[in-house]
């Protein structure tokens, strides 16, 4: 009797592999080839021998997966393959941090060399050239897969680092820097330099990542450590490694947009960088009041404008660094400076008002410069000294100021 029809067409027969004998021998040799590759790595790669056992075991699995993936690829060379998933998916993502790209290339090269040296033994008679050509093509594919894995890891790490850096910069600028911010900065490669200052200015239009990278290039050229970010329309740079904030600002000024660039005072470490950042921010806000301000400018050079703009730290600094030292140096210096400024910086006029010789006025003014660091004969310094005298008198009249 004829067989009953099932209604289903017969499945097409799979075509036989053109190199069945070689494929079978390759499947049988995969374990020994992986063992030889691991032995060769242990013999020729010092960094492999120095690794902890756990990482070495993961690398062994990667080598085994690579040989198994080649076997499967040789079986079906036209089938779509995901070599990076097949080979590198056996190891945890952390392995890309444990070994460098160079070390991974050495590992792949060693494995390929072991497989290449075994071609004459593994290939069936007459298939040597076929297997060698297949291995060359596979080596190219595995090289691209290696580059892809590390590129993806670097991209993810770069995005994470950018977010981490932004958190540190924002913490410093907002006054919330703590030991956690220091730890995050250390994870970004910040080596706790002794001298730190903050530079603020306007961020240029366009891609903020390009601006940040330009700052990093300028910092490398100037041998500075930096943490930087674009916050709103402001470009913030925390720079370490030099005790001259003006020189730091000049070396980093290129990527800033047009407009004022203000450098805060030098502080000893990242935890104290908030003081520098707040001074720079206050200076950036008050800089419009000094139309001829240099670019870049120090926040301390903007003390009078900052004080007028209600910056309490600037007011305190003017009183404590100018008025109080003059007060302690004697009433004669305060009186002479006050009269000199009231007399439109005239030595003779001040001398007449004080009933002293002009040389006495000149000597006392030199003493004012020695005590405060500001010269009454300089127009800009005279303005700063005048504001300091006003604030000092107000503070004496009302202790709450």
């Amino acid at each position: 009797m004829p067989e009953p029809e099932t209604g289903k067409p017969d499945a097409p027969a799979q075509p036989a592999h053109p190199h069945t004998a070689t494929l079978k021998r390759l499947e049988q040799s995969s374990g020994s080839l992986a063992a030889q590759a691991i032995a060769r790595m242990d013999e020729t790669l010092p960094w492999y021998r120095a690794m902890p056992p756990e990482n070495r075991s993961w690398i062994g699995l990667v080598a085994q997966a690579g040989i198994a993936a080649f076997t499967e690829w040789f079986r079906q060379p036209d089938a779509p393959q995901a070599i990076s998933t097949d080979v590198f998916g056996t190891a945890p993502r952390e392995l890309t941090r444990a070994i460098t790209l160079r070390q991974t290339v050495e590992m792949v090269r060693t494995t390929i060399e072991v497989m290449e040296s075994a071609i004459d033994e593994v290939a069936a008679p007459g298939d040597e050239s076929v297997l060698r050509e297949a291995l060359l093509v596979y080596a190219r594919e595995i090289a691209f897969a290696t580059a892809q894995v590390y590129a993806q890891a670097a991209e993810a790490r770069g995005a994470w680092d950018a977010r981490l850096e932004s958190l540190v910069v924002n913490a410093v600028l907002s006054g919330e820097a703590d030991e956690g911010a220091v730890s995050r900065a250390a994870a970004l490669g910040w080596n706790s330099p002794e001298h730190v200052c903050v530079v603020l200015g306007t961020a240029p239009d366009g891609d903020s990542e390009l601006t940040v990278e330009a700052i990093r290039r300028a910092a490398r050229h100037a041998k500075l450590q930096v943490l930087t970010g674009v916050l709103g329309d402001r470009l913030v740079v925390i720079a370490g490694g030099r005790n001259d904030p003006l020189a730091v600002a000049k070396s980093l000024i290129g990527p800033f947009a047009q407009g004022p660039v203000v450098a805060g005072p030098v502080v000893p470490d990242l935890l104290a960088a908030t003081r520098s950042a707040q001074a720079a921010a206050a200076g950036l806000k008050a800089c419009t009041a000094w139309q001829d301000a240099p670019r870049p400018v120090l926040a301390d050079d903007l003390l009078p404008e900052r004080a007028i703009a209600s910056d309490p730290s600037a007011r305190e600094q003017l009183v404590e660094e100018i008025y109080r030292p003059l007060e302690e140096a004697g009433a004669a210096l305060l009186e002479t400076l006050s009269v000199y400024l009231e007399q439109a910086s005239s030595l003779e006029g001040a001398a007449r008002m004080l009933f002293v010789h002009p040389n006495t006025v000149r000597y006392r003014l030199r003493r004012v410069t020695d005590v405060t660091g500001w010269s009454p004969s300089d127009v800009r310094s005279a303005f700063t000294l005048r504001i300091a005298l006003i604030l000092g008198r107000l503070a004496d009249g009302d202790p709450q100021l």
Side-chain angles (χ1 to χ4, degrees):
M1 293 180 62
E3 294 288 339
E5 295 184 2
T6 61
K8 296 182 181 179
D10 294 336
Q14 292 293 333
H17 195 277
H19 307 284
T20 305
T22 298
L23 178 61
K24 185 175 181 180
R25 295 171 71 170
L26 185 60
E27 291 174 342
Q28 294 172 347
S29 303
S30 60
S32 63
L33 288 174
Q36 291 175 40
I38 294 170
R40 178 78 64 86
M41 282 187 274
D42 188 66
E43 178 184 348
T44 61
L45 302 178
W47 58 265
Y48 176 78
R49 294 194 299 271
M51 295 188 79
E54 181 181 7
N55 288 340
R56 278 187 291 173
S57 66
W58 284 121
I59 291 176
L61 287 178
V62 170
Q64 293 175 15
I67 296 173
F70 172 67
T71 303
E72 187 61 31
W73 184 85
F74 185 75
R75 184 196 310 277
Q76 296 177 306
D78 296 328
Q81 300 291 326
I83 291 178
S84 61
T85 302
D86 292 343
V87 177
F88 297 102
T90 60
R93 184 176 300 176
E94 290 77 8
L95 190 63
T96 57
R97 298 185 180 184
I99 64 174
T100 65
L101 176 58
R102 179 185 61 81
Q103 291 170 338
T104 303
V105 170
E106 290 178 351
M107 176 189 71
V108 172
R109 180 188 293 118
T110 301
T111 304
I112 295 295
E113 288 175 351
V114 168
M115 295 175 67
E116 189 175 18
S117 65
I119 285 178
D120 292 337
E121 299 176 7
V122 174
D127 285 351
E128 291 86 358
S129 61
V130 174
L131 188 59
R132 183 173 289 106
E133 182 178 348
L135 184 59
L136 289 175
V137 176
Y138 180 77
R140 183 194 66 185
E141 296 298 323
I142 201 70
F144 284 128
T146 302
Q148 182 182 12
V149 166
Y150 275 84
Q152 290 173 344
E155 185 176 354
R157 189 158 54 245
W160 171 253
D161 287 350
R163 290 192 293 270
L164 203 61
E165 188 170 13
S166 180
L167 287 174
V168 175
V169 171
N170 187 66
V172 169
L173 202 62
S174 63
E176 299 174 355
D178 54 13
E179 291 296 338
V182 175
S183 298
R184 288 189 284 270
L188 294 168
W190 181 264
N191 294 327
S192 301
E194 294 182 356
H195 308 296
V196 179
C197 70
V198 176
V199 182
L200 282 181
T202 304
D205 296 331
D207 192 343
S208 61
E209 292 184 5
L210 296 178
T211 301
V212 167
E213 184 56 35
I215 288 289
R216 292 199 179 105
R217 285 198 302 270
R220 286 193 295 269
H221 182 73
K223 294 181 173 56
L224 294 168
Q225 293 186 52
V226 294
L227 297 168
T228 183
V230 176
L231 302 181
D233 62 346
R234 290 189 295 182
L235 175 56
V236 185
V237 183
I238 305 169
R242 192 178 299 179
N243 196 22
D244 185 349
L246 192 59
V248 169
K250 287 180 178 178
S251 63
L252 301 176
I253 199 170
F256 284 87
Q258 292 298 317
V261 175
V262 183
V266 170
V267 292
D269 52 39
L270 190 63
L271 285 176
T274 291
R275 179 161 56 87
S276 182
Q278 291 175 345
L284 191 63
K285 177 182 177 182
C287 200
T288 54
W290 185 10
Q291 294 185 347
D292 296 327
R295 185 178 186 270
V297 62
L298 294 174
D300 284 354
D301 288 343
L302 289 159
L303 283 174
E305 286 81 7
R306 290 166 51 194
I308 293 172
S310 303
D311 179 8
S313 63
R315 292 186 173 190
E316 181 181 357
Q317 191 172 344
L318 286 170
V319 172
E320 295 301 323
E321 295 184 4
I322 295 179
Y323 185 80
R324 296 303 177 203
L326 288 175
E327 191 178 44
E328 294 173 1
L333 290 188
L334 272 176
E335 183 184 17
T336 301
L337 176 62
S338 178
V339 172
Y340 176 76
L341 295 175
E342 294 295 335
Q343 294 298 314
S345 301
S346 168
L347 285 171
E348 290 75 12
R352 285 194 300 270
M353 292 294 296
L354 294 169
F355 301 101
V356 296
H357 194 275
N359 285 342
T360 302
V361 176
R362 187 177 288 108
Y363 167 77
R364 290 176 181 175
L365 293 179
R366 283 200 299 268
R367 287 277 298 130
V368 169
T369 303
D370 294 338
V371 170
T372 65
W374 300 84
S375 173
S377 60
D378 177 77
V379 175
R380 178 68 191 175
S381 295
F383 174 60
T384 303
L385 290 167
R386 183 185 291 273
I387 297 299
L389 290 181
I390 294 172
L391 292 174
R393 291 165 183 157
L394 288 173
D396 285 344
D398 186 350
Q400 295 183 350
L401 290 176

